[in-house]
Amino acid sequence: MSTSLENKVNSKKKRNIVIGIIIIAVVLLVVLQFKFDAINAVRDTLSGKETVKATLEISCKPLSDDVTKLKDKSKAEYIPESGVILEETEYRMEKGDTAFDMLKQATTDEGIQAEYSYTQAYDAYFIEGISNLYNGDAGGMSGWLYYVNGKSPEYGISGYELKDGDNILVIFSCDGGEDVDVRDLLPDDISL
């Protein structure tokens, strides 16, 4: 067999081995995900805790689109180019937990800087800052908002009780929400 033909055969063998390894890895990941979901469901049943699965994304997209809105230009270093601080991530929370509980867990788990304050008059928590971006950093109407399945609830984040399948978006707006088009930010399986 010629060297050229032998190299082609060896190249195809290597490619087939790599493809086989990738397929095995994907199948293994799917099986492990199913196994972890099943284990969590059994654990929830045995502990008597009911849980819900919801997703959370943290974004500063309106600000990443125009960092010139920042009053303190040194804060530009905290703004990811994509505007995504936390990609959409699924969390299993206890039934009765709020969107705020999930946000606290996510920022703690992911090491994302966050500050909150409690307002006794409203018996509610208020997001002051995430990833070193604070309310007012991009003008008087700038700050953190949240959306549930693409809609803005009529009450604060600590008052919204999670439901199974909820998609929570926490986003920094520069204009009181006028610069947020949630249709562009929603997952494919949710439509308005």
Side-chain angles (χ1 to χ4, degrees):
M1 184 163 30
S2 74
T3 305
S4 174
L5 182 59
E6 189 175 309
N7 287 341
K8 284 182 181 180
V9 169
N10 286 337
S11 176
K12 283 186 178 185
K13 283 182 183 178
K14 288 178 185 176
R15 185 185 69 198
N16 288 341
I17 290 171
V18 168
I19 290 171
I21 290 172
I22 290 171
I23 290 170
I24 290 170
V26 168
V27 168
L28 185 60
L29 286 173
V30 168
V31 168
L32 286 175
Q33 180 62 45
F34 178 75
K35 182 178 179 180
F36 286 129
D37 284 347
I39 288 171
N40 284 333
V42 168
R43 185 179 301 133
D44 294 345
T45 301
L46 292 175
S47 70
K49 294 179 183 175
E50 288 186 60
T51 61
V52 296
K53 282 197 255 182
T55 61
L56 172 69
E57 179 180 346
I58 304 173
S59 173
C60 61
K61 181 93 173 92
L63 189 54
S64 71
D65 288 345
D66 186 2
V67 293
T68 64
K69 293 179 180 178
L70 278 173
K71 292 191 296 187
D72 179 355
K73 303 302 181 210
S74 69
K75 289 198 169 210
E77 71 180 275
Y78 300 115
I79 302 169
E81 191 173 312
S82 67
V84 177
I85 295 169
L86 175 69
E87 290 185 13
E88 184 180 325
T89 305
E90 185 176 84
Y91 291 90
R92 181 181 293 273
M93 304 295 294
E94 286 188 28
K95 189 170 184 161
D97 281 349
T98 66
F100 176 71
D101 295 323
M102 186 167 62
L103 177 64
K104 275 182 37 180
Q105 179 178 326
T107 55
T108 300
D109 290 354
E110 301 298 328
I112 298 170
Q113 181 276 339
E115 280 187 53
Y116 319 100
S117 61
Y118 176 75
T119 304
Q120 189 171 7
Y122 295 106
D123 188 27
Y125 284 89
F126 178 73
I127 303 169
E128 290 185 7
I130 300 174
S131 190
N132 296 296
L133 297 174
Y134 289 84
N135 299 317
D137 276 353
M141 295 294 291
S142 66
W144 289 98
L145 304 173
Y146 86 106
Y147 294 84
V148 178
N149 303 323
K151 297 178 181 157
S152 179
E154 296 178 9
Y155 36 84
I157 192 167
S158 63
Y160 180 80
E161 190 174 310
L162 293 168
K163 295 172 190 61
D164 202 41
D166 276 345
N167 175 270
I168 308 297
L169 170 66
V170 175
I171 189 164
F172 188 88
S173 168
C174 300
D175 192 16
E178 293 297 317
D179 54 354
V180 177
D181 186 356
V182 292
R183 291 174 296 196
D184 294 338
L185 302 168
L186 285 175
D188 294 336
D189 60 338
I190 296 178
S191 61
L192 295 178

